[in-house]
Amino acid sequence: MTAQLDTLAEKIESIARKFLPYSGFDGQYINGDRRPGHANRKLKDTDPYTGESVAEIALADQSDLEAAYQSALKAQPAWASRLPAERAEVLGRCADLMEKRRGEIVDWVIREAGSTRIKADIEWQMLHAITLEAASFPHRVAGRVLPINEPGKESRVYRQPIGVIAVISPWNFPIYLAQRSVGPAIALGNSVVLKPSQDTPITGGLLLAKIFEEAGVPEGVLNVVVGASSEIGDAFVKHPVPRLVSFTGSTAVGRHVADLAVTSPLIKHLALELGGNTPFVVLDDADLDQAVPAAVLSRFLHQGQICMSTNRIIVDAKVYDEFLDRFTAHVKTLKVGNPQDLDTVIGPIINSKQLANILKLIKETRDAGARQVLGGDLRDLVLPPHIFADVTNDMPIAKNETFGPIAPVIRARGEDDALRLANDTEYGLSSAVFTRDERRGLRFALGVEAGMTHINDTSVDDTPTGPFGGEKNSGIGRFGGDWIMEEFKTAHWITVQHAPRQEERK
Ligand code: NAD
């Protein structure tokens, strides 16, 4: 009788949960259980605009990490052996839930990540699209039978899941960038332990886990550990269970993660999506009606806190002054302030540490002799847009990823000089070039040392079917469509010798 009542209570709770708002994020999500971490420390998760607390989370320690990896390890084989249709269905249900809970998801992204409503809505669309794309993966995996010049032998390639995948995600597009790894990994039969950024433990992890849970993912297939990187960061990467580390974040931390992954007793696969220093190039024949609004969006969407954000605007000297005037006039119209307002374009910086980096760069740019064309006073974490003219490529603002609403405008002397300037960086993620001549644009694009170049469009672009990724210090590997299917599966070459080898028969 008690058992029956318990089952009934569980059923009622699970039905009720579907109608309750997403809330109560205060711990870890391990093996299908939501429970506090054992670190004896709480993380205060705050809204960067209001400074109000959105949650307090009991952090994970190494014992929680161990439990998460063991649960992922246990769950993975059974999950991999589920029919492709069953795995696809879970992802499909996630996409349905995302639609039903759209308002709540957008609201969480605004409150926790300081995203403007405009950006949070874009992030929701990307989240939904990548989830639908991942739902198609289980039916797209195919092995091969290869020709082989050996009589009586067959050569096959099996595509198998990697196993347990460790995912580390950043705070800037938290739910989308977590799902960009988690969705494909799970769809392809892997299990996951996800460690979100401490700035966005909910949107970067716990909220996503709730969606998967409601969509019916078996326990242990997705685990979320929220912990201080100083306490569990290195152990998260070095742990013997994960076979692949999918890291999205800064180049400095990515390099450290890569060092740990290749020097751990069992070398791991690596997918690294790192920082950028995106050039936005305006050639002398560019259509400025098209280039100016694109430059504004490329630089200022999400306060410039996007890996593909335009970090340097490089303009041919022939159109430099006109571009600068029109660009400045447009930027002056951007609404700055409360991210909840429908038309706010520039909201808060994520935290005071990040803001301090930006303010230091502003000071260094002034000291280096650049001409400030636009600025304004700071209010809490909200920094109005800044524009600097006469910037050169050797100034700190041009050499470093600024991740803030500051636009340096650099003068180029012709197309070759513009290309030289564009490539004069250690990074190679996104880029954009503007010209009325498409063939010229293509020639220029092919010369850019980057993973992605957009001709006559914004540098901020991502689509679930395209190869997203960087060259040089911007990373290793590609996300999206067929490319992520390559990364999150192994190729297992298996041969069958049907008859004794000919030499042996002689
Ligand atoms: P970050 O490198 O500071 O942190 C990224 C993640 O790594 C966070 O979850 C953090 O908690 C974790 N981390 C830190 N130290 C760790 C350690 N020792 N072991 C394990 N994990 C550790 O980056 P951020 O400030 O969160 O994000 C901004 C950076 O990310 C920018 O450089 C941006 O360009 C980059 N980024 C790149 C892409 C891309 O697709 N290429 C996308 C978004 C952001």
Side-chain angles (χ1 to χ4, degrees):
M1 183 69 180
T2 325
Q4 278 167 326
L5 282 176
D6 280 352
T7 321
L8 188 66
E10 265 172 39
K11 274 194 184 145
I12 292 170
E13 198 200 318
S14 109
I15 293 167
R17 231 189 286 136
K18 293 198 174 114
F19 298 99
L20 290 173
Y22 284 151
S23 62
F25 300 108
D26 54 6
Q28 314 294 319
Y29 181 72
I30 297 171
N31 202 30
D33 276 345
R34 279 185 294 274
R35 59 165 177 80
H38 289 105
N40 243 346
R41 264 201 298 157
K42 283 200 167 174
L43 170 72
K44 283 193 171 45
D45 188 8
T46 54
D47 177 331
Y49 183 68
T50 62
E52 284 165 13
S53 168
V54 296
E56 284 207 2
I57 295 174
L59 289 174
D61 70 0
Q62 306 249 354
S63 70
D64 300 307
L65 184 61
E66 186 60 33
Y69 274 132
Q70 292 309 331
S71 98
L73 187 64
K74 190 162 155 248
Q76 193 270 329
W79 176 242
S81 65
R82 290 277 191 101
L83 294 175
E86 291 178 279
R87 279 183 275 124
E89 223 176 288
V90 170
L91 270 295
R93 279 199 293 267
C94 283
D96 289 347
L97 285 163
M98 286 165 186
E99 268 193 86
K100 281 195 194 120
R101 304 279 198 161
R102 181 174 183 154
E104 277 181 75
I105 295 170
V106 165
D107 195 54
W108 270 112
V109 173
I110 296 172
R111 282 166 58 214
E112 193 188 41
S115 306
T116 59
R117 194 162 282 283
I118 296 169
K119 179 268 183 183
D121 212 58
I122 294 173
E123 181 164 352
W124 181 89
Q125 289 171 42
M126 294 163 81
L127 168 74
H128 187 247
I130 198 76
T131 306
L132 285 178
E133 173 74 4
S136 74
F137 288 172
H139 287 109
R140 280 164 59 183
V141 177
R144 283 173 74 178
V145 178
L146 300 174
I148 186 164
N149 281 319
E150 291 179 44
K153 188 159 181 162
E154 214 185 316
S155 173
R156 306 175 188 168
V157 182
Y158 285 78
R159 306 310 311 273
Q160 292 177 314
I162 302 247
V164 177
I165 295 187
V167 176
I168 302 176
S169 59
W171 49 263
N172 63 334
F173 270 70
I175 194 162
Y176 167 65
L177 290 175
Q179 177 69 337
R180 184 173 76 167
S181 291
V182 170
I186 289 181
L188 293 166
N190 303 284
S191 61
V192 171
V193 180
L194 164 65
K195 190 178 88 62
S197 162
Q198 280 196 71
D199 284 299
T200 49
I202 295 173
T203 48
L206 298 169
L207 177 59
L208 190 61
K210 208 148 196 167
I211 295 170
F212 269 94
E213 185 190 29
E214 239 178 88
V217 79
E219 59 192 37
V221 172
L222 173 59
N223 305 272
V224 179
V225 285
V226 180
S229 293
S230 53
E231 182 155 358
I232 61 160
D234 287 8
F236 186 83
V237 178
K238 286 195 297 195
H239 197 282
V241 165
R243 300 298 319 119
L244 184 149
V245 180
S246 176
F247 173 87
T248 305
S250 64
T251 298
V253 176
R255 192 186 290 282
H256 174 68
V257 163
D259 277 350
L260 294 175
V262 297
T263 52
S264 66
L266 278 181
I267 295 174
K268 294 161 199 304
H269 296 255
L270 269 172
L272 297 176
E273 290 290 346
L274 308 178
N277 182 351
T278 293
F280 182 105
V281 176
V282 182
L283 296 179
D284 57 0
D285 64 344
D287 178 352
L288 296 191
D289 286 343
Q290 204 175 351
V292 168
V296 174
L297 191 152
S298 301
R299 174 67 283 195
F300 294 108
L301 181 66
H302 198 29
Q303 299 76 263
Q305 303 172 116
I306 307 177
C307 55
M308 304 161 277
S309 288
T310 286
N311 205 57
R312 292 170 296 149
I313 302 176
I314 298 168
V315 186
D316 191 286
K318 288 191 195 130
V319 289
Y320 187 90
D321 291 338
E322 188 187 349
F323 175 87
L324 186 63
D325 287 350
R326 291 173 63 174
F327 178 66
T328 307
H330 192 139
V331 175
K332 278 182 182 165
T333 67
L334 301 181
K335 183 168 164 187
V336 179
N338 189 345
Q340 290 280 0
D341 293 347
L342 278 181
D343 51 349
T344 297
V345 179
I346 303 207
I349 301 298
I350 187 74
N351 58 37
S352 51
K353 188 170 164 232
Q354 192 63 30
L355 179 67
N357 289 340
I358 300 167
L359 296 179
K360 179 168 170 274
L361 279 169
I362 290 178
K363 181 178 178 313
E364 286 171 351
T365 309
R366 286 186 190 130
D367 292 350
R371 178 162 52 98
Q372 184 163 346
V373 180
L374 192 68
D377 294 333
L378 184 67
R379 268 190 59 198
D380 299 322
L381 288 175
V382 178
L383 180 69
H386 283 56
I387 299 177
F388 286 95
D390 304 337
V391 171
T392 54
N393 225 29
D394 54 358
M395 290 183 188
I397 196 178
K399 287 174 99 156
N400 296 285
E401 185 185 38
T402 48
F403 237 55
I406 342 173
V409 189
I410 298 171
R411 193 179 268 104
R413 288 172 211 300
E415 184 181 323
D416 290 349
D417 192 38
L419 185 61
R420 180 188 65 76
L421 289 166
N423 286 336
D424 181 21
T425 168
E426 66 181 280
Y427 297 99
L429 191 61
S430 187
S431 49
V433 58
F434 280 74
T435 165
R436 281 194 169 85
D437 179 346
E438 243 178 73
R439 281 168 64 185
R440 188 185 188 198
L442 182 61
R443 184 179 68 216
F444 191 94
L446 289 169
V448 179
E449 297 161 359
M452 305 175 282
T453 305
H454 304 290
I455 301 169
N456 293 330
D457 203 6
T458 59
S459 65
V460 175
D461 201 356
D462 189 359
T463 166
T465 50
F468 184 105
E471 294 297 317
K472 295 156 78 175
N473 279 349
S474 289
I476 303 175
R478 294 291 185 271
F479 274 94
D482 294 343
W483 291 270
I484 195 64
M485 287 178 61
E486 268 311 296
E487 303 253 352
F488 285 180
K489 281 265 185 201
T490 58
H492 194 163
W493 181 41
I494 296 182
T495 68
V496 186
Q497 185 67 46
H498 291 293
R501 279 183 171 271
Q502 279 189 349
E503 311 84 72
E504 286 158 17
R505 266 190 263 147
K506 274 179 207 159

